Amino acid sequence: MHTVVVGTSGTTAEDVIAVARAGARIELSDEAVAALAAARGIVDALAAKPEPVYGVSTGFGALASRHISPELRAQLQRNIVRSHAAGMGPRVEREVVRALMFLRLKTVCSGHTGVRPEVAQTMADVLNAGITPVVHEYGSLGCSGDLAPLSHCALTLMGEGDAEGPDGQVRPAGELLAEHGIAPVELREKEGLALLNGTDGMLGMLVMALADLQRLYISADITAALSLEALLGTDKVLAPELHAIRPHPGQGVSAANMSAVLKGSGLTGHFQEEEAPRVQDAYSVRCAPQVAGAGRDTLAHARLVADRELASAVDNPVVLPDGRVESNGNFHGAPVAYVLDFLAIVAADLGSIAERRTDRLLDKNRSHGLPPFLADDAGVDSGLMIAQYTQAALVSEMKRLAVPASADSIPSSAMQEDHVSMGWSAARKLRTAVANLGRIIAVELYASTRAIELRRGLTPAPASQAAIAALRAAGVEGPGPDRFLAPDLEAADTFVRDGKLIEAVEPVTGPLA
């Protein structure tokens, strides 16, 4: 099994996904252990002084003015975890919880939090044992970090609350720790606060969304090419010299991907051979690289923000190399929240243009010779009429999900925390948007491949033939009389989501970007 070694200088997106989705094991580097011990020494020295230090010997948030005596500090740390573990609603997905725990461990190991090495090791042990704290949908405002979600994770480290075992069963966390030989942690000064104060949940969801969207954007280039082919459109608009004079990087990549898929097609270029020849294709076909390309450029910006955050130590207060322990605002989720919202916007637009191409394929007045709704016997058969309804419903929800969460703020903590990011909410709705986008692309794939097969007498591009063959081998049937469509659509969604569409065409096209 792959092992991820956590050091002091952050982590990578690949490591986050390996831990969250593939169950990679975690080890702490010697450098990290040394940095943890050094920072803890600074916190212990400050805790011994009579002067109050925020997070070490005071209360928190609006209660920071109270100086806490030494005999109450362990209780203070336990209490902050218990009181902040106040989430409600459905359980958050296992991969999200693993990502947020791993990312909190990443910051703890930076040497800027003052947490003892044994606490960090317990965090790694819990992840390695496959124990997943029960975290709820609601409870984070994305400022002072993802407080409630992280608190539920810290509660598990203390042996309290509920967690899911490696067998998928939810049980008391103390029982699961004992079964795996893990001793619950006894929190000391600052440690409870350090386990809660981070953007780890929203960052973990951003990292996974970026990986999923990269795959979906390539898949969308493929289905856009298939639709162009099925509509007998022209691939001349994909010429690299046209995109060079508007040099947005993503636009050029999308056009190149579509060109690679269409190479050798016998269907493209027939748009001027009809009774009513077209001068040019509709926007949803002709402008596919411009829309998908702009989205790709937004992905690149979001990836830059994620990489910066992955290299960050997010806590309050932080231990600085010169020994100071300083309060700060680095926990604010605005940088992450904004790009999470940006991604929901571009995903909605990509879904919208894909749906327009599907609708065009089904309309006999605009499909240039295809049967109505791609039906076998139109009137007796309804074909893909309601598949497009489903796609349209998904697009409509995507538009609602594109409304930014980060434009909202709701004051909390007696107005001490009077401006929050809502980044967790932005991340949660983005996960739904990503899943919906996969379904939308799957419907376009289903329609475009059927339409190509109905163009009898014309030879599709080799890459198109490979995509169709792989889709049919995956159990998604081709043209014919009406049948129960939901299983076909679900299989097409799985085909897209698992990257099988890309795997089918790349042996013909070469690597797509």
Side-chain angles (χ1 to χ4, degrees):
M1 183 182 290
H2 177 59
T3 297
V4 172
V5 179
V6 184
T8 61
S9 57
T11 189
T12 66
E14 292 75 19
D15 283 346
V16 174
I17 291 170
V19 171
R21 290 179 165 170
R25 289 190 60 79
I26 300 164
E27 293 180 3
L28 308 185
S29 71
D30 292 342
E31 176 194 27
V33 173
L36 284 159
R40 185 65 207 180
I42 294 170
V43 170
D44 286 341
L46 289 171
K49 292 183 176 182
E51 298 84 10
V53 177
Y54 176 70
V56 177
S57 52
T58 71
F60 310 115
L63 303 176
S65 59
R66 179 177 171 182
H67 182 246
I68 308 299
S69 58
E71 65 273 13
L72 294 176
R73 290 176 189 170
Q75 181 181 340
L76 170 68
Q77 300 302 317
R78 290 194 299 272
N79 285 351
I80 191 176
V81 172
R82 289 167 177 165
S83 65
H84 285 46
M88 294 182 72
R91 283 179 56 196
V92 172
E93 303 86 354
R94 182 176 185 270
E95 66 176 18
V96 172
V97 179
R98 286 185 61 84
L100 94 94
M101 285 187 70
F102 173 66
L103 287 167
R104 182 80 313 230
L105 177 60
K106 173 268 297 182
T107 281
V108 163
C109 288
S110 69
H112 291 294
T113 67
V115 169
R116 289 169 293 152
E118 50 264 44
V119 176
Q121 185 59 58
T122 302
M123 296 172 76
D125 291 343
V126 168
L127 284 165
N128 289 340
I131 298 170
T132 307
V134 170
V135 173
H136 299 280
E137 182 88 18
Y138 302 105
S140 173
L141 300 179
C143 198
S144 286
D146 292 318
L147 286 174
L150 284 163
S151 298
H152 282 276
C153 294
L155 202 65
T156 294
L157 299 179
M158 293 165 50
E160 300 181 17
D162 293 328
E164 179 186 301
D167 61 356
Q169 297 300 308
V170 174
R171 296 167 51 198
E175 291 182 12
L176 288 167
L177 295 185
E179 282 185 8
H180 290 85
I182 301 171
V185 297
E186 294 285 345
L187 298 176
R188 288 169 46 180
E189 292 94 342
K190 194 184 179 303
E191 290 181 332
L193 187 61
L195 294 176
L196 315 185
N197 236 328
T199 56
D200 309 289
M202 63 182 92
L203 176 59
M205 287 185 273
L206 171 60
V207 167
M208 290 186 285
L210 284 168
D212 295 340
L213 286 168
Q214 174 66 19
R215 182 168 57 252
L216 291 177
Y217 265 78
I218 296 174
S219 299
D221 288 339
I222 296 170
T223 58
L226 294 173
S227 292
L228 183 153
E229 195 172 25
L231 291 166
L232 306 179
T234 177
D235 59 355
K236 290 183 178 180
V237 296
L238 304 175
E241 56 269 25
L242 292 174
H243 299 278
I245 61 174
R246 195 190 191 195
H248 293 289
Q251 177 179 324
V253 170
S254 289
N257 283 347
M258 290 181 66
S259 289
V261 173
L262 292 170
K263 186 177 181 180
S265 173
L267 280 75
T268 58
H270 293 273
F271 67 110
Q272 291 181 330
E273 299 174 5
E274 303 167 356
E275 292 182 8
R278 285 169 281 165
V279 175
Q280 52 194 5
D281 291 315
Y283 283 10
S284 60
V285 177
R286 185 170 19 127
C287 301
Q290 285 76 11
V291 172
R296 285 174 175 278
D297 292 342
T298 303
L299 290 184
H301 171 64
R303 196 171 291 113
L304 175 63
V305 172
D307 287 344
R308 288 171 177 164
E309 199 76 357
L310 288 168
S312 300
V314 179
D315 194 15
N316 180 48
V318 293
V319 181
L320 295 173
D322 61 8
R324 287 180 294 147
V325 175
E326 296 285 1
S327 181
N328 68 93
N330 283 344
F331 50 74
H332 200 289
V336 183
Y338 294 160
V339 294
L340 288 163
D341 280 333
F342 293 167
L343 293 178
I345 291 168
V346 299
D349 202 36
L350 187 64
S352 179
I353 197 171
E355 184 274 331
R356 289 293 80 204
R357 289 190 294 264
T358 303
D359 180 68
R360 186 166 289 273
L361 289 167
L362 306 189
D363 183 352
K364 69 181 182 65
N365 296 311
R366 295 179 291 141
S367 66
H368 311 290
L370 291 169
F373 303 105
L374 306 181
D376 187 63
D377 184 4
V380 175
D381 294 311
S382 294
L384 306 192
M385 179 191 295
I386 307 305
Q388 184 268 330
Y389 281 35
T390 299
Q391 193 186 38
L394 289 163
V395 169
S396 182
E397 184 179 43
M398 293 279 281
K399 293 174 182 178
R400 295 190 295 273
L401 293 168
V403 176
S406 59
D408 186 27
S409 176
I410 187 162
S412 58
S413 192
M415 294 298 287
Q416 176 70 7
E417 299 171 8
D418 58 351
H419 184 275
V420 297
S421 77
M422 302 307 297
W424 173 273
S425 299
R428 295 306 296 164
K429 68 185 182 65
L430 178 60
R431 283 181 69 81
T432 303
V434 170
N436 284 355
L437 179 59
R439 298 180 182 113
I440 291 165
I441 293 169
V443 175
E444 183 181 17
L445 174 67
Y446 191 62
S448 61
T449 52
R450 176 185 281 213
I452 288 171
E453 288 179 302
L454 290 171
R455 295 288 191 191
R456 297 181 178 92
L458 296 173
T459 303
S464 303
Q465 295 178 50
I468 293 168
L471 186 64
R472 301 292 173 253
V476 180
E477 295 186 36
D482 280 357
R483 56 181 172 273
F484 181 22
L485 275 188
D488 272 359
L489 297 178
E490 180 64 28
D493 179 35
T494 301
F495 188 76
V496 170
R497 186 176 63 245
D498 292 348
K500 299 300 182 184
L501 175 59
I502 300 170
E503 292 176 11
V505 304
E506 283 192 328
V508 179
T509 62
L512 300 175

